[in-house]
PDB file of all heavy atoms in Angstrom:
ATOM      1  N   ARG A 114     -83.741 -78.942  62.432  1.00 58.00           N
ATOM      2  CA  ARG A 114     -84.500 -80.186  62.608  1.00 58.00           C
ATOM      3  C   ARG A 114     -84.459 -80.998  61.319  1.00 58.00           C
ATOM      4  O   ARG A 114     -84.484 -80.448  60.219  1.00 58.00           O
ATOM      5  CB  ARG A 114     -85.952 -79.880  62.977  1.00 58.00           C
ATOM      6  CG  ARG A 114     -86.113 -79.272  64.355  1.00 58.00           C
ATOM      7  CD  ARG A 114     -87.584 -79.096  64.677  1.00 58.00           C
ATOM      8  NE  ARG A 114     -88.233 -78.249  63.690  1.00 58.00           N
ATOM      9  CZ  ARG A 114     -88.625 -77.002  63.893  1.00 58.00           C
ATOM     10  NH1 ARG A 114     -88.445 -76.431  65.068  1.00 58.00           N
ATOM     11  NH2 ARG A 114     -89.210 -76.311  62.946  1.00 58.00           N
ATOM     12  N   ALA A 115     -84.412 -82.310  61.485  1.00 53.00           N
ATOM     13  CA  ALA A 115     -84.397 -83.198  60.319  1.00 53.00           C
ATOM     14  C   ALA A 115     -85.705 -83.051  59.551  1.00 53.00           C
ATOM     15  O   ALA A 115     -86.785 -83.115  60.120  1.00 53.00           O
ATOM     16  CB  ALA A 115     -84.208 -84.644  60.770  1.00 53.00           C
ATOM     17  N   ARG A 116     -85.618 -82.832  58.265  1.00 60.00           N
ATOM     18  CA  ARG A 116     -86.778 -82.726  57.378  1.00 60.00           C
ATOM     19  C   ARG A 116     -86.409 -83.378  56.060  1.00 60.00           C
ATOM     20  O   ARG A 116     -85.378 -83.049  55.474  1.00 60.00           O
ATOM     21  CB  ARG A 116     -87.146 -81.261  57.090  1.00 60.00           C
ATOM     22  CG  ARG A 116     -87.602 -80.505  58.287  1.00 60.00           C
ATOM     23  CD  ARG A 116     -89.056 -80.848  58.586  1.00 60.00           C
ATOM     24  NE  ARG A 116     -89.532 -79.972  59.634  1.00 60.00           N
ATOM     25  CZ  ARG A 116     -90.094 -80.403  60.743  1.00 60.00           C
ATOM     26  NH1 ARG A 116     -90.281 -81.667  60.952  1.00 60.00           N
ATOM     27  NH2 ARG A 116     -90.495 -79.557  61.640  1.00 60.00           N
ATOM     28  N   ASN A 117     -87.239 -84.262  55.609  1.00 66.00           N
ATOM     29  CA  ASN A 117     -86.991 -84.901  54.333  1.00 66.00           C
ATOM     30  C   ASN A 117     -87.489 -83.976  53.230  1.00 66.00           C
ATOM     31  O   ASN A 117     -88.680 -83.711  53.144  1.00 66.00           O
ATOM     32  CB  ASN A 117     -87.695 -86.258  54.271  1.00 66.00           C
ATOM     33  CG  ASN A 117     -87.277 -87.053  53.062  1.00 66.00           C
ATOM     34  OD1 ASN A 117     -86.939 -86.504  52.019  1.00 66.00           O
ATOM     35  ND2 ASN A 117     -87.302 -88.354  53.187  1.00 66.00           N
ATOM     36  N   ALA A 118     -86.582 -83.478  52.416  1.00 77.00           N
ATOM     37  CA  ALA A 118     -86.927 -82.537  51.357  1.00 77.00           C
ATOM     38  C   ALA A 118     -87.337 -83.229  50.061  1.00 77.00           C
ATOM     39  O   ALA A 118     -87.613 -82.557  49.082  1.00 77.00           O
ATOM     40  CB  ALA A 118     -85.740 -81.604  51.093  1.00 77.00           C
ATOM     41  N   ARG A 119     -87.355 -84.562  50.058  1.00 86.00           N
ATOM     42  CA  ARG A 119     -87.760 -85.253  48.834  1.00 86.00           C
ATOM     43  C   ARG A 119     -89.191 -84.901  48.488  1.00 86.00           C
ATOM     44  O   ARG A 119     -90.034 -84.761  49.365  1.00 86.00           O
ATOM     45  CB  ARG A 119     -87.645 -86.766  49.015  1.00 86.00           C
ATOM     46  CG  ARG A 119     -86.204 -87.241  48.974  1.00 86.00           C
ATOM     47  CD  ARG A 119     -86.081 -88.698  49.244  1.00 86.00           C
ATOM     48  NE  ARG A 119     -86.774 -89.516  48.269  1.00 86.00           N
ATOM     49  CZ  ARG A 119     -86.842 -90.844  48.355  1.00 86.00           C
ATOM     50  NH1 ARG A 119     -86.267 -91.463  49.354  1.00 86.00           N
ATOM     51  NH2 ARG A 119     -87.481 -91.530  47.444  1.00 86.00           N
ATOM     52  N   PRO A 120     -89.472 -84.760  47.205  1.00 86.00           N
ATOM     53  CA  PRO A 120     -90.861 -84.519  46.817  1.00 86.00           C
ATOM     54  C   PRO A 120     -91.719 -85.732  47.155  1.00 86.00           C
ATOM     55  O   PRO A 120     -91.202 -86.850  47.281  1.00 86.00           O
ATOM     56  CB  PRO A 120     -90.771 -84.303  45.298  1.00 86.00           C
ATOM     57  CG  PRO A 120     -89.490 -84.926  44.890  1.00 86.00           C
ATOM     58  CD  PRO A 120     -88.573 -84.879  46.073  1.00 86.00           C
ATOM     59  N   ARG A 121     -93.014 -85.504  47.340  1.00 88.00           N
ATOM     60  CA  ARG A 121     -93.950 -86.571  47.714  1.00 88.00           C
ATOM     61  C   ARG A 121     -95.091 -86.628  46.715  1.00 88.00           C
ATOM     62  O   ARG A 121     -95.471 -85.630  46.131  1.00 88.00           O
ATOM     63  CB  ARG A 121     -94.534 -86.297  49.108  1.00 88.00           C
ATOM     64  CG  ARG A 121     -93.505 -86.140  50.191  1.00 88.00           C
ATOM     65  CD  ARG A 121     -93.288 -87.401  50.883  1.00 88.00           C
ATOM     66  NE  ARG A 121     -92.219 -87.294  51.878  1.00 88.00           N
ATOM     67  CZ  ARG A 121     -91.968 -88.244  52.712  1.00 88.00           C
ATOM     68  NH1 ARG A 121     -92.688 -89.338  52.720  1.00 88.00           N
ATOM     69  NH2 ARG A 121     -90.983 -88.126  53.567  1.00 88.00           N
TER      70      ARG A 121
END
Side-chain angles (χ1 to χ4, degrees):
R114 292 184 301 253
R116 295 281 188 233
N117 190 330
R119 285 176 61 183
R121 303 265 176 172

